Amino acid sequence: ITPTGTLSYSRFDANGALEPVPVFNDYSWTFRLRYAPGEPLFSSRLGKEAPISLAKDAPIVSLTHTVGYFDNQFLYNKTEFSAQKRIWLSSFGHIDAAISTGFIWNRVPLPRLFAPNANPSFLLVADAFNLMRPMEFVMDQYADLFVTYYLKGWIFNRIPLLNRLKLREVVSFRAIIGSLSEKNNPLFGA
């Protein structure tokens, strides 16, 4: 991991002076359990190694644990849990809902903390926070929620002349809560 642009990393040496850190090494092993009952899979040209999910109806629950060794100094453990589901509302459209949470068990430096997925572009991204800048907040424990309601023209199809434009309604809600514990907060001298 190499910092680029105006980003620079530094650390205290044995004498207490700041020294620049040009490169980090990160070794990690990730274990994932994924449960999606009733999910049909379609094998692509790449074979069984790259299955593509065609159905969005199946609930998907995932538990991920990462063990890593960062910069030859920090052994860290990260655990994340996520669940997502599409809820059909008959002629009223459908709701896509996803919730996830994560926790870092050890003391880690800034590059290994959780940072919310930010989207500084003009286009909307389904699982990102569009009004947030990248690395604006970092945390070692978090929970987030994404809910998107696709009304499928339920309102606009009932308005004369507007129904000819074939517009569709989408309502979205995104929330995140997180914190940085004392063990990873540099203000507490962990």
Side-chain angles (χ1 to χ4, degrees):
I1 300 171
T2 306
T4 61
T6 60
L7 181 66
S8 64
Y9 294 115
S10 57
R11 73 172 135 225
F12 292 106
D13 62 8
N15 299 330
L18 281 175
E19 65 177 352
V21 179
V23 175
F24 291 112
N25 292 317
D26 186 13
Y27 307 98
S28 64
W29 298 268
T30 301
F31 308 96
R32 174 174 290 173
L33 296 173
R34 184 177 184 274
Y35 180 64
E39 179 184 47
L41 294 178
F42 169 76
S43 294
S44 67
R45 290 185 290 164
L46 300 175
K48 293 181 180 180
E49 291 80 24
I52 299 170
S53 175
L54 295 177
K56 305 248 182 197
D57 298 341
I60 300 171
V61 178
S62 176
L63 179 66
T64 306
H65 185 78
T66 302
V67 176
Y69 192 58
F70 186 79
D71 198 30
N72 298 327
Q73 293 182 7
F74 297 94
L75 178 66
Y76 64 91
N77 291 285
K78 281 183 171 180
T79 304
E80 293 183 88
F81 172 81
S82 66
Q84 60 187 25
K85 173 74 173 116
R86 174 168 286 178
I87 303 161
W88 291 97
L89 302 173
S90 185
S91 64
F92 300 110
H94 68 273
I95 296 173
D96 286 341
I99 188 169
S100 63
T101 184
F103 187 78
I104 297 177
W105 300 91
N106 310 87
R107 179 175 172 252
V108 295
L110 175 76
R112 287 295 112 217
L113 293 171
F114 294 119
N117 188 9
N119 179 27
S121 73
F122 294 110
L123 302 174
L124 296 179
V125 177
D127 59 347
F129 295 95
N130 297 307
L131 298 175
M132 193 180 293
R133 290 181 296 236
M135 298 292 287
E136 185 174 358
F137 300 103
V138 291
M139 55 201 87
D140 59 4
Q141 50 196 351
Y142 77 95
D144 63 20
L145 172 69
F146 295 95
V147 178
T148 306
Y149 182 19
Y150 298 91
L151 283 87
K152 306 266 184 171
W154 186 62
I155 297 171
F156 288 163
N157 283 351
R158 288 161 174 72
I159 300 173
L161 297 178
L162 194 57
N163 62 355
R164 296 183 185 268
L165 296 176
K166 304 286 185 192
L167 297 175
R168 300 293 179 254
E169 311 86 0
V170 177
V171 178
S172 179
F173 176 77
R174 300 162 191 196
I176 187 166
I177 186 170
S179 66
L180 189 62
S181 64
E182 289 186 14
K183 69 180 175 233
N184 286 312
N185 191 340
L187 298 177
F188 290 105

